[in-house]
Amino acid sequence: MSDRFGMKPDDVMKMFAEFRLPHFADLESLAQAQRRNLEALSAANRVALEGAQAVARRHMEIVQSAMTDMTEAMRSMSGTENPQERATRQAELLKSGYERAVANMKEVADLIQKSNGEALALLNKRFAEAMDEIKQISAKPGG
């Protein structure tokens, strides 16, 4: 009796009996390498998370400082100076506010870049190690 592909049940059983999985001579080394891969990924995620938290903290500090500065600027503008002095003072406040904002944006961007660089360095280091491990495992007899 054949199935619709023309194979007999005995042929199918014989095919399964002859099927072989690839041979790994050193499964323990392979398991250790995989464990180190997961540890490196976990460490990179931890660095990225710590970096995101540092960015969020700094951003909150910047917002609080900006609110304090804005309150102080409003208080100083309520003086009795003449319109020309007030306009000059407003221009100075706007300029210093803009410069602070640009400096703060650069600082936050630098924090993000540093965090991403550290996480990527961990992954790159582990990738290079993993490639060396693969070479070593495949060079062993039976590998």
Side-chain angles (χ1 to χ4, degrees), residues 51-63 100-116:
Q53 290 171 338
V55 167
R57 274 191 305 273
R58 183 61 187 129
H59 188 265
M60 185 56 70
E61 292 168 0
I62 289 168
V63 169
R100 259 192 320 276
V102 169
N104 289 337
M105 286 175 27
K106 181 180 180 331
E107 180 184 355
V108 169
D110 289 345
L111 282 172
I112 292 169
Q113 185 176 5
K114 179 181 179 233
S115 173
N116 288 345

Side-chain angles (χ1 to χ4, degrees), residues 7 23-24 39 42 57 60-61 63-64 67 89 143:
M7 295 185 76
H23 176 69
F24 294 106
E39 288 169 356
S42 177
R57 274 191 305 273
M60 185 56 70
E61 292 168 0
V63 169
Q64 289 172 342
M67 295 303 285
R89 189 168 187 75

